[in-house]
Amino acid sequence: MLRIGRSAALIALAAGGGCSSIASQAPSGVVRELGDVIVTSNLQSAGQTTGVSGTVRVIDLPGTSDMQIQVEANGLPVGGHAWHIHTGTCQQPGAIVVPFTPVGQREGLDEPITADANGRATEDGPIPSSMLTEEQMAANPHIVNIHANPGASPGGAVACAPLR
C-alpha cells in the first residue's frame, strides 16, 4: 500500500465530529495527531445516483494499529446515509467488514453521513484493527459504500470509493 505523506491535521476522535472538526474546539484530551495517509480515493456515484464526487482518506493512527477514515462528499441526496467498508469492488461489493452505521442486528461504530441541502457531507470514523488492518486492505480489494438510507436497512449504494 502506498503511503503518500504525513497529515498535519488534528482530529477530535472522542467528539465524533466530521472531517471539518476544528481541533481548537475539541475538549482537551480528545485531540489526536493523525499519521500517514494510507489511501486517498475518489468517491463516485453508484446505483441510480449521479453527480456524486468527493474524497475518501484512510489514515493511520500513530501508536496504534487502528486507522481513521475521512469522507468528504458532494452531490449526495439530502439527508442521512448509512456507510460501511465492504470487501470487493464498487462493481461487485462483498460483505461488510466495518459497519460505521448499524446493519440488521449488528451495531455501528459511528453516525450516518448526513448531506446538507446542497448535497455536501463530511464524516470521519474509526477503523479498529480488530475489524480491518492495513495489511488486509493491501491484500484484498475493499470499498466504502454510502447507502441510500440511514437505518439498519440501508438500501443500495448511492456512492462508492475503492480503498486500494
Side-chain angles (χ1 to χ4, degrees), residues 12 15 20-28 31:
S20 60
S21 295
I22 299 172
S24 62
Q25 294 176 347
S28 64
V31 177

Side-chain angles (χ1 to χ4, degrees), residues 3-111:
R3 292 190 179 264
I4 59 173
R6 182 106 177 131
S7 172
L10 296 175
I11 201 75
L13 293 177
C19 297
S20 60
S21 295
I22 299 172
S24 62
Q25 294 176 347
S28 64
V30 298
V31 177
R32 176 179 201 121
E33 183 174 349
L34 298 176
D36 292 334
V37 175
I38 299 166
V39 174
T40 298
S41 183
N42 292 324
L43 195 60
Q44 58 197 18
S45 298
Q48 301 297 319
T49 307
T50 60
V52 176
S53 63
T55 305
V56 174
R57 287 178 201 84
V58 176
I59 302 165
D60 74 0
L61 296 174
T64 74
S65 54
D66 296 339
M67 298 177 283
Q68 175 81 15
I69 190 166
Q70 299 176 336
V71 177
E72 298 173 8
N74 295 296
L76 288 174
V78 174
H81 303 276
W83 61 304
H84 311 104
I85 295 178
H86 294 253
T87 59
T89 65
C90 290
Q91 295 73 29
Q92 291 189 308
I96 295 171
V97 293
V98 182
F100 295 109
T101 50
V103 178
Q105 298 298 314
R106 193 170 176 190
E107 234 179 273
L109 300 173
D110 203 47
E111 300 294 320

Side-chain angles (χ1 to χ4, degrees), residues 85-158:
I85 295 178
H86 294 253
T87 59
T89 65
C90 290
Q91 295 73 29
Q92 291 189 308
I96 295 171
V97 293
V98 182
F100 295 109
T101 50
V103 178
Q105 298 298 314
R106 193 170 176 190
E107 234 179 273
L109 300 173
D110 203 47
E111 300 294 320
I113 291 177
T114 303
D116 65 16
N118 297 313
R120 289 189 295 250
T122 60
E123 188 62 56
D124 56 45
I127 303 174
S129 60
S130 61
M131 293 182 172
L132 182 64
T133 65
E134 184 177 346
E135 292 76 20
Q136 290 169 323
M137 272 192 347
N140 296 296
H142 289 81
I143 58 170
V144 172
N145 264 352
I146 299 175
H147 295 272
N149 304 310
S153 298
V158 295

